[in-house]
Amino acid sequence: MSRTVAFVGLGHMGAPMATNLVKAGHLVRGHDLVADALDAAARAGVQPARTAAEAVTDAEVVITMLPAGRHVLDLYESVLSAAGPGTLFVDCSTIDVADARTAHERAAAAGMRALDAPVSGGVVGAEAATLTFMAGGEEHEFAEARPLLQAMGKKVVHCGGAGAGQAAKICNNMILGISMIAVSEAFVLGESLGLSHQALYDVASTASGQCWALSVNCPVPGPVPASPANRDYRPGFAASLMAKDLGLAANAVRAGGVQAELGLRAAELYAAYAGRAGTAEDFSGIVRAIRDQSGEKA
Ligand code: NAD
């Protein structure tokens, strides 16, 4: 069934996601603050809207793909009154769990319906429509959004009520951040012990050290030819995005009084590393920071 969709935030992720909705036969009205982003989306078949309010008028579903929670809450503030009653607001941005719950509440208070549906899979997954969506909200809203999410991704999981999608996203990425640091520390320890990268990989990837950070995104060049380490750590998943997600996880850890020392430490290490590496390096490049700092200590 073809839907009328407003899509706000046509950046690295939003532009290809909106394009995939157009390809699936939906009418997509897009808006972005950056004129070039709007022009590029228009060339891909998105109907450009000069304002977010213009985009959401007459939309059945409003999808947002924005940098952070404050952008989502500000946007909801400015467009909730412009949307028709009962419009479904689906936020695919990665934001604080608390902000996601506030967004649900504000949507409901304005007579709208809401779903949080952050993604993993990066720009490559957004372009290929192979993203994984983690959704939080009521069953009925999930069922309604599902065909749209399936047009942009290959896996769609309903994780629970309001904020559960964001919760799943930051818990997963906390595992990933910690495990990438663990794998990187093991390689640097192996180097200091005269162990080759290949030997450690051959053992750990088939033993109990096996994990995605090792066997898919291996932080040293050689063992996994497609990993970013083989292309001078070009992303992939940028260091700055990992630092952002671990920061969100750390907020939730502190708010919940959770004993998660490794999660908090991983957030600190990635914040320091991303301060230098930014968006230019894959998060697996943290192995170089660990190696450099080990050299200083030797
Ligand atoms: P981006 O900066 O490329 O895109 C965000 C877009 O939102 C920009 O084009 C910006 O101009 C626009 N924008 C900001 N405020 C706006 C407003 N008020 N109205 C209209 N447009 C506005 O970021 P991205 O890489 O596309 O990421 C978007 C979200 O997806 C983030 O929350 C990020 O954490 C998450 N995410 C990104 C990746 C990735 O690999 N890039 C992967 C998973 C999740």
Side-chain angles (χ1 to χ4, degrees):
M1 181 177 50
S2 172
R3 308 296 307 265
T4 302
V5 180
F7 204 116
V8 183
L10 301 164
H12 291 96
M13 296 293 290
M17 290 165 70
T19 302
N20 284 327
L21 288 175
V22 171
K23 283 184 192 159
H26 302 288
L27 175 71
V28 183
R29 285 206 195 98
H31 174 67
D32 195 289
L33 297 176
V34 176
D36 284 352
L38 202 53
D39 291 345
R43 286 194 294 278
V46 172
Q47 292 188 3
R50 281 180 302 106
T51 64
E54 184 186 317
V56 308
T57 308
D58 298 332
E60 296 165 276
V61 180
V62 176
I63 300 180
T64 41
M65 196 53 172
L66 297 168
R70 68 189 159 85
H71 302 95
V72 176
L73 293 177
D74 286 353
L75 184 92
Y76 277 27
E77 200 66 44
S78 66
V79 301
L80 281 171
S81 57
T87 302
L88 177 58
F89 279 70
V90 181
D91 180 38
C92 295
S93 329
T94 303
I95 69 172
D96 217 279
V97 178
D99 286 342
R101 291 184 176 144
T102 302
H104 276 261
E105 283 162 18
R106 292 196 184 159
M112 307 297 163
R113 298 172 301 128
L115 200 70
D116 52 291
V119 304
S120 72
V123 176
V124 172
E127 286 170 349
T130 55
L131 294 170
T132 294
F133 286 87
M134 296 149 259
E138 298 299 321
E139 186 61 51
H140 183 265
E141 278 63 48
F142 175 70
E144 185 176 338
R146 189 181 192 125
L148 294 171
L149 304 182
Q150 281 171 331
M152 301 183 282
K154 71 166 194 274
K155 190 165 182 194
V156 181
V157 183
H158 188 201
C159 300
Q166 298 292 350
K169 164 95 187 172
I170 60 168
C171 289
N172 178 70
N173 281 13
M174 191 172 86
I175 297 172
L176 179 59
I178 293 170
S179 59
M180 181 55 80
I181 292 169
V183 169
S184 298
E185 288 183 352
F187 272 113
V188 174
L189 175 60
E191 289 166 10
S192 84
L193 296 170
L195 185 63
S196 76
H197 292 160
Q198 191 65 49
L200 176 55
Y201 178 83
D202 287 345
V203 172
S205 65
T206 54
S208 44
Q210 195 279 334
C211 61
W212 190 91
L214 175 70
S215 57
V216 178
N217 218 70
C218 186
V220 294
V224 180
S227 80
N230 298 283
R231 47 172 200 266
D232 203 23
Y233 297 94
R234 270 183 290 111
F237 185 48
S240 57
L241 288 172
M242 176 52 86
K244 172 192 167 180
D245 291 357
L246 287 172
L248 296 176
N251 290 346
V253 163
R254 290 193 195 94
V258 177
Q259 176 70 13
E261 287 185 30
L262 294 186
L264 293 175
R265 186 69 184 127
E268 285 173 3
L269 291 173
Y270 266 104
Y273 165 58
R276 299 189 298 279
T279 55
E281 269 187 33
D282 186 76
F283 79 115
S284 58
I286 199 164
V287 71
R288 298 200 283 201
I290 293 168
R291 188 182 291 123
D292 291 350
Q293 283 157 22
S294 303
E296 287 161 18
K297 282 183 187 157

